[in-house]
Structures are given as structure tokens and as C-alpha cells.
Amino acid sequence: MPSHNIDMLHGPTLGKLLVFALPLIASGVLQQSFNSADVAVAGRWAGSEALAAVGSNGPVISLIVNLFVGISVGANVVIARLLGQDDKARVRRAVSTTAAVAVAGGLLLLVIGLAVSRPILEWLDTPPEVLDLATLYLRIYSLGFPFMMIYNFGSAILRSFGDTRRPFYCLVAGGIINVALNLLLVIVFGMGVSGVAIATVVSNMVSASMIVMILLREQGPARLDMQAMRTDRRILARILQIGVPAGIQGVVFSISNVFILGAINSLGAKVLAGSAAALNYEYYCYFIISAFAQSAMAFISQNYGAGQYSRCRRIFAQCMMLSLAGSAVFNIGFCLDTPFFAGIFTTDPDVLVYAGERMRYVLFFQFIASSYEIAGAAMRGLGYSMTPTVLTIVGTCILRIAWLHTACAGATSFSTIMIIYPISWAVTGIAVLTAYFIVARRAYAGGDPFTTPHPAAHRATP
């Protein structure tokens, strides 16, 4: 096995989970740092309106891309499952299918992004003083969607083999270019919001190009053969069966955040800017949860395919423990000095007040989200994707929208909007955890219907 891959099927799991997850956490933190650099450069050198224009696009971009990001989850699960079965021929076909989906999805997102930029921002009641800047940013940003999809799907392929380090290196290279171009285009050439967006597009191009080069040069079933690229219908169907529900969850989740963004927009540009500044720290901490969720999904997928069910149970427990502890430390740590951390993104005293308010009401309690994220990822690793999707949509998305139309109806305060986040996390966590224990019992009793039974099926491992 190549040194950059992790053997998920043998030996102790705790250390391997950490080795797998740490590059994912670093990738997320690094990526968000580069995104935060966009926000910080816009806020400090182009003004509060530019800060609001860049920050307000986060939920919109998530809304546009989340379906295909979810489909990459399906690719990760399917390839990992086939690796657990040691089915190299179908692994190769799955890699080829994943690459085709990445290209097609990226081109589709490019068209959508260019077409809906201004209408969706107008629908969200983006403050008039930032609407033109926000539209410009989103249209330029959309040019990078194809490269973003290629990087995400390429990373999913490598993660299936236990390789999280090389996608991280690709991200580092792209991110360094992003920061350098931010400083050059915004500070030196005064390009403002357009300079921030151009820097992001170029960085996505670099990261995608590097991930493609890795896959073209890879040895074994992970190698991408451009001349032999074809789509396997059965594998595509299985990728979509697992990935589309995950993507729909992400889309609907983003829709609920878009509704919340609309409510924040109605409170004015200062509130919007403060919320955008605080949101950066939620992203930072969420990457800890996401990393262990991806770890749970990849490790459980391979071990479930190999019939090693006791390892699956152990992996779930360890990922839950690591996610809760890791995210709680950083959630609370950032909230100990909100003026300092929010002040990195803005010097406006009014904006600082709203940033601190969001950090106290939302960021402080974010570790609760581990409950449904880890449980949902474990269910997807077992091949059950629709169950966590439905429960998460009801527990977070529908509940949040209902809150906006009841508790937040009419004149409302920023804190009233924010308090729904920890409430929805707790409700969803209880529901998804309950479902996980029911689904896991069924899955371990019935085996994996997608793959050929493995000789080790139903074998208990230490």
C-alpha cells in the first residue's frame, strides 16, 4: 500500500482516524482562512460595503454547489465500499464515473451561477447599497465552479483510499496564490470585490489542476485514464442513490440559511457585516466536525464492505467522541474574547457588536451539531442516505424556517434570529442519533446489498 494511503481494515483505529482527519481539518481551516482573507481584505481595504457584498454570498454559493458536493459523498462511499471488497475492476470504473460527473456538474454550475446571480440576491433583499458589488462578486466567482467540482470529486476519490494529505497540499498551493493575488489585486491595483473574486477563481484552477495531475500519475485502481473514461450506469446509480440525498440535504440546509440571511438583510448592512465576520469562526469549527464525519463515512464504508462490523461500531463511537471534544474546545475558545477575534475582520464598532452577539448565541453551542453530523455520516457509510437527509431537513431546515415565520414575525432582534441555531441542532441530534442505532442494527443483520459478499462477512474483529 502506498505510504500516503491508510489501511482502514486492520489494526487499531483511533490513531488512524486522527491521521485521516487532521489533514481534513487543516484543509478546512486553510480553505476558510483563504476565504476569510477575502473577507478581511475586502473589509479593511475596500470598506464595509465590500465586506457585506463578499460575506453575503456565502450562503448563496453553498446553495448553488451543495447538490454536487453531496454527490461527491456518494462517490466516496461507493469507492471505499468496493475497496473493502477488493474489487479493483469496479474501483477503476467508479473512479472514471466520478471524474465524468465532476466535469458535467462543474459546467452545469457555471451556467446556473451566471444566470441566477442577480435574481437570487434581489430575492434575498440584499441591501441596495451592496447589491451591485455582491452580484459582480458572484458572477466572477461562478467562473471557478468547474474547477471547484474537479477538486472536490478528485479529493473524494483519494479520500476513499485513505489519502487526505495530497488534497491538502493541493489546497495549500492554491490558497497561497489566493492570498497573494488578494493583496496584489485589491491593495495594489484597487480592484476591490472583483479582485477578491478573481483571486479565488485562480486558486481553484491551481488546486484542480494539481489534483488531476495526481490522479493521472497514480498507480493502481485510483489512476485516472482519460482515454478510457466512461460511465458505469450501475455505479453511477449507486453514487446518486447515496449522494443525491446528501446533496439535497445540503441544498435545503442552505435554503434555510438563505431565509435566515434574508431576515438578517432586513436589519441592515451593519448587522449583515457583523454576521458575516462571526460566520468565519463557525466555518472554522465546523471543519472539525466535518472532518470526523468524513472519517466515519470512509472508515465505516470500507469496513462494512469487508464485513467487519465490530470495527464499524468502534469507529462510530470514536469519531463522535473526537468531534464533540475537538469542536467544543474551539467553540468556547473563540467565544472567550469575541472583540479580539471579530476585530480581525472589521474595525467598525457597530459591526463588532453584532459579530459578538452571533458568536455568543451560535458559535458557543456549535459542538452540538456533532450529534447529527457523525450519526448521519455513519448511516451513509452503511448505505442509508435518505434517512439522515429527511431527519436533518425537518430538524434544522423546516424548524428554522418555521421559527422565522413565528417567533421572528414582524419586528425582531438579531438575537431572536440566532437562537434557533442551537435549538435546531439539539432537536436534530436527538432524532438522527435515534435513527442511527435503529439503522445500524438492521444493516449489520442484513449485510451489504450493493457488493458481492466478502469472505470475511459477518466476522467480528478485535
Side-chain angles (χ1 to χ4, degrees), residues 198-214:
I198 291 170
T200 302
V201 171
V202 174
S203 70
N204 285 331
M205 292 174 63
V206 171
S207 297
S209 298
M210 291 181 67
I211 210 85
V212 169
M213 292 303 297
I214 288 172

Side-chain angles (χ1 to χ4, degrees), residues 31 35 57-73 101-102 105-114 116 120 138 141-150 152-153 200 204 243-244 246-252 254-255 258 283:
Q31 190 168 35
N35 294 338
N57 269 297
V60 178
I61 292 168
S62 296
L63 176 62
I64 296 173
V65 306
N66 269 351
L67 176 61
F68 284 95
V69 170
I71 293 174
S72 73
V73 168
V101 172
L107 293 175
L108 178 60
L109 289 180
L110 170 61
V111 174
I112 293 173
L114 293 175
V116 307
I120 197 170
L138 185 54
Y141 191 101
S142 297
L143 299 176
F145 282 152
F147 306 104
M148 185 186 301
M149 288 300 100
I150 290 170
N152 282 334
F153 278 81
T200 302
N204 285 331
V244 168
I248 291 173
Q249 175 182 315
V251 169
V252 178
S254 294
I255 290 174
V258 163
Y283 288 143

Side-chain angles (χ1 to χ4, degrees), residues 15-339:
K16 292 181 178 181
L17 287 170
L18 287 169
V19 170
F20 186 90
L22 287 176
L24 290 175
I25 295 172
S27 296
V29 170
L30 188 67
Q31 190 168 35
Q32 186 54 38
S33 295
F34 299 141
N35 294 338
S36 298
D38 292 350
V39 176
V41 169
R44 285 187 168 268
W45 282 279
S48 293
E49 289 185 1
L51 169 63
V54 174
S56 66
N57 269 297
V60 178
I61 292 168
S62 296
L63 176 62
I64 296 173
V65 306
N66 269 351
L67 176 61
F68 284 95
V69 170
I71 293 174
S72 73
V73 168
N76 192 342
V77 170
V78 169
I79 295 173
R81 189 82 59 79
L82 293 171
L83 284 169
Q85 290 289 321
D86 198 24
D87 192 339
K88 292 182 174 63
R90 283 207 288 173
V91 170
R92 292 188 181 92
R93 296 201 296 273
V95 168
S96 177
T97 301
T98 299
V101 172
V103 173
L107 293 175
L108 178 60
L109 289 180
L110 170 61
V111 174
I112 293 173
L114 293 175
V116 307
S117 296
R118 191 172 187 92
I120 197 170
L121 289 167
E122 290 176 337
W123 175 64
L124 289 171
D125 294 325
T126 301
E129 62 268 33
V130 301
L131 179 59
D132 288 340
L133 288 176
T135 302
L136 175 63
Y137 177 83
L138 185 54
R139 283 176 176 166
I140 297 174
Y141 191 101
S142 297
L143 299 176
F145 282 152
F147 306 104
M148 185 186 301
M149 288 300 100
I150 290 170
Y151 173 79
N152 282 334
F153 278 81
S155 298
I157 292 171
L158 294 176
R159 284 198 305 271
S160 303
F161 288 81
D163 181 5
T164 56
R165 285 183 290 171
R166 288 186 294 175
F168 171 66
Y169 301 149
C170 297
L171 192 63
V172 170
I176 291 172
I177 291 174
N178 183 31
V179 171
L181 284 177
N182 264 332
L183 299 174
L184 178 66
L185 298 178
V186 178
I187 300 176
V188 177
F189 291 103
M191 294 180 65
V193 165
S194 61
V196 171
I198 291 170
T200 302
V201 171
V202 174
S203 70
N204 285 331
M205 292 174 63
V206 171
S207 297
S209 298
M210 291 181 67
I211 210 85
V212 169
M213 292 303 297
I214 288 172
L215 291 172
L216 289 174
R217 296 175 179 177
E218 193 72 357
Q219 300 299 315
R223 181 173 178 269
L224 178 61
D225 187 346
M226 301 293 287
Q227 295 181 340
M229 276 187 62
R230 62 178 61 88
T231 301
D232 184 299
R233 292 184 179 180
R234 183 165 183 246
I235 289 175
L236 177 60
R238 187 58 172 165
I239 288 173
L240 295 177
Q241 182 183 354
I242 296 172
V244 168
I248 291 173
Q249 175 182 315
V251 169
V252 178
F253 195 84
S254 294
I255 290 174
S256 71
N257 286 335
V258 163
F259 274 98
I260 292 176
L261 177 62
I264 295 171
N265 285 342
S266 68
L267 300 179
K270 297 284 189 181
V271 180
L272 176 58
S275 179
L279 188 60
N280 286 282
Y281 294 104
E282 292 170 38
Y283 288 143
Y284 279 127
C285 296
Y286 177 76
F287 286 123
I288 298 173
I289 300 173
S290 176
F292 287 111
Q294 291 180 62
S295 302
M297 188 168 59
F299 275 71
I300 288 174
S301 295
Q302 273 206 28
N303 282 278
Y304 184 54
Q308 301 190 134
Y309 301 157
S310 64
R311 287 176 67 88
C312 293
R313 295 187 182 95
R314 184 193 313 158
I315 289 162
F316 168 75
Q318 290 172 340
C319 286
M320 182 66 75
M321 174 192 68
L322 292 168
S323 179
L324 283 169
S327 56
V329 167
F330 284 92
N331 290 155
I332 297 169
F334 284 130
C335 289
L336 292 177
D337 193 351
T338 58

Side-chain angles (χ1 to χ4, degrees), residues 237-458:
R238 187 58 172 165
I239 288 173
L240 295 177
Q241 182 183 354
I242 296 172
V244 168
I248 291 173
Q249 175 182 315
V251 169
V252 178
F253 195 84
S254 294
I255 290 174
S256 71
N257 286 335
V258 163
F259 274 98
I260 292 176
L261 177 62
I264 295 171
N265 285 342
S266 68
L267 300 179
K270 297 284 189 181
V271 180
L272 176 58
S275 179
L279 188 60
N280 286 282
Y281 294 104
E282 292 170 38
Y283 288 143
Y284 279 127
C285 296
Y286 177 76
F287 286 123
I288 298 173
I289 300 173
S290 176
F292 287 111
Q294 291 180 62
S295 302
M297 188 168 59
F299 275 71
I300 288 174
S301 295
Q302 273 206 28
N303 282 278
Y304 184 54
Q308 301 190 134
Y309 301 157
S310 64
R311 287 176 67 88
C312 293
R313 295 187 182 95
R314 184 193 313 158
I315 289 162
F316 168 75
Q318 290 172 340
C319 286
M320 182 66 75
M321 174 192 68
L322 292 168
S323 179
L324 283 169
S327 56
V329 167
F330 284 92
N331 290 155
I332 297 169
F334 284 130
C335 289
L336 292 177
D337 193 351
T338 58
F340 170 78
F341 289 110
I344 294 173
F345 298 98
T346 180
T347 56
D348 188 317
D350 293 330
V351 174
L352 285 171
V353 169
Y354 292 112
E357 195 169 352
R358 175 159 187 150
M359 292 173 76
R360 289 189 297 273
Y361 277 90
V362 181
L363 180 64
F364 187 85
F365 299 99
Q366 191 185 29
F367 65 91
I368 300 172
S370 299
S371 56
Y372 69 85
E373 290 287 0
I374 303 300
M379 278 191 274
R380 291 191 172 95
L382 297 173
Y384 293 79
S385 190
M386 186 58 72
T387 301
T389 293
V390 172
L391 293 176
T392 303
I393 288 174
V394 173
T396 59
C397 308
I398 294 178
L399 180 58
R400 289 177 187 176
I401 293 172
W403 181 268
L404 292 176
H405 287 86
T406 54
C408 299
T412 189
S413 66
F414 186 49
S415 60
T416 304
I417 298 173
M418 293 295 100
I419 196 65
I420 188 54
Y421 281 102
I423 293 173
S424 62
W425 290 332
V427 170
T428 306
I430 294 170
V432 178
L433 274 170
T434 302
Y436 163 75
F437 289 112
I438 296 172
V439 164
R441 188 181 307 115
R442 182 187 309 161
Y444 298 143
D448 180 6
F450 175 62
T451 52
T452 304
H454 191 276
H458 305 287

